[in-house]
Amino acid sequence: MTVRDIAAAKQRHEKWPMLTAYDALTARIFDEAGIPVLLVGDSAAMVVYGYDSTIPVTVDDLIPLTAAVVRGSKRAMVVADLPFGSYQTGVTEALTAATRFLKETGAHAIKLEGGRRIIPQAEAMVAAGIPVMGHLGLTPQSVNVFGGYRVQGRGQDGDELMADAKALEAAGAFSVVLECVPEDLAARVTASLSIPTIGIGGGNQTDAQVLVWQDMAGLTPHTAKFVKKFADMNTLLGEAARAYADEVVSGVYPAPEHTYH
């Protein structure tokens, strides 16, 4: 999958799914399931490293995860998240971080949060040949400014978000994530842009949808309103672990068929 494939899907009014991935095994499963875009999100801070926000995770934390996802997938476009502190201070820092992801991991594109304030960084990356995915609305790296994880873009803030989206499009971004915004705003932004929009808590009028895979699969105990759990992996893994433990304690496992002679 390439940025041209993503653009063509919007022209054909075809919706598509995106999931996060952080390791080779799940990347392979999602790739074989036909997921066209895999995001190595800074959400790894919570679901992989155990932090309570995305802010602590670093480029060095995400580089090996991204490389694993690239190695585990064959067809999907792999997008790497630029973590907090890796691009905000200026163009040079942003280019350095983005270049590392492409050179050291084989990622196909990068994602960064923010609108007009990060346009110089986005333009520089596009000019350098690095595909850029934008991210507007609830941008988790700015959670301390927002005062928590809350819906963004209501009222006049919607006009600001629309302006940010158009600025990202003009800067050359190939798509933009819209997180936790009112459905009508996401629909208006989607209709106004020639590039695809990817919703996460933005209703069903966006061109695509993305979820953190642990949320989607039911591993995460507490999730946002917009999350639908498509499986109950929390229960399934717990049952498997308890069954394994019971058989070890009782001596049932390993059985003769699991033993070398």
Side-chain angles (χ1 to χ4, degrees):
M1 297 297 295
T2 68
V3 295
R4 293 185 64 183
D5 296 319
I6 298 304
K10 183 177 178 84
Q11 297 302 313
R12 296 192 300 266
H13 305 288
E14 293 178 0
K15 293 180 178 291
W16 47 274
M18 179 165 78
L19 283 174
T20 63
Y22 314 96
D23 63 80
L25 286 176
T26 50
R28 177 185 59 81
I29 292 169
F30 299 153
D31 189 63
E32 291 178 354
I35 304 298
V37 183
L38 298 176
L39 170 67
V40 187
D42 60 0
S43 46
M46 285 94 80
V47 299
V48 175
Y49 293 110
Y51 296 113
D52 60 3
S53 77
T54 65
I55 293 173
V57 80
T58 67
V59 170
D60 287 337
D61 290 331
L62 295 181
I63 288 281
L65 305 186
T66 308
V69 171
V70 171
R71 289 192 292 266
S73 57
K74 296 180 180 179
R75 174 178 174 271
M77 176 194 299
V78 177
V79 181
D81 233 344
L82 292 188
F84 179 74
S86 68
Y87 61 93
Q88 285 88 349
T89 60
V91 167
T92 300
E93 184 180 41
L95 277 174
T96 298
T99 300
R100 282 195 64 192
F101 275 106
L102 267 65
K103 289 179 67 68
E104 297 179 31
T105 74
H108 310 112
I110 63 90
K111 181 175 78 65
L112 74 170
E113 296 181 3
R116 283 161 288 179
R117 62 185 173 82
I118 55 87
I119 291 303
Q121 292 93 318
E123 288 177 335
M125 284 185 277
V126 171
I130 301 171
V132 171
M133 176 182 288
H135 187 156
L136 298 173
L138 174 56
T139 46
Q141 293 175 14
S142 302
V143 63
N144 291 326
V145 174
F146 295 146
Y149 296 95
R150 304 192 297 179
V151 174
Q152 303 295 313
R154 290 189 170 127
Q156 292 184 344
D157 289 342
D159 296 332
E160 295 297 313
L161 190 145
M162 177 70 80
D164 283 336
K166 288 184 174 295
L168 283 168
E169 179 182 43
F174 74 93
S175 61
V176 59
V177 173
L178 301 175
E179 180 168 357
C180 286
V181 301
E183 182 178 33
D184 62 337
L185 174 60
R188 286 193 288 116
V189 173
T190 300
S192 299
L193 299 183
S194 62
I195 60 174
T197 58
I198 305 159
I200 176 167
N204 67 359
Q205 299 302 306
T206 53
D207 298 300
Q209 296 289 330
V210 62
L211 285 175
V212 171
W213 86 257
Q214 290 91 339
D215 292 348
M216 177 277 297
L219 273 175
T220 313
H222 305 291
T223 57
K225 175 183 179 180
F226 58 78
V227 172
K228 177 179 178 179
K229 296 183 178 183
F230 289 82
D232 187 4
M233 293 297 293
N234 188 68
T235 298
L236 183 63
L237 282 177
E239 290 175 346
R242 285 187 289 272
Y244 162 71
D246 290 344
E247 290 198 8
V248 170
V249 171
S250 66
V252 172
Y253 176 82
E257 62 267 29
H258 309 120
T259 305
Y260 297 106
H261 299 286

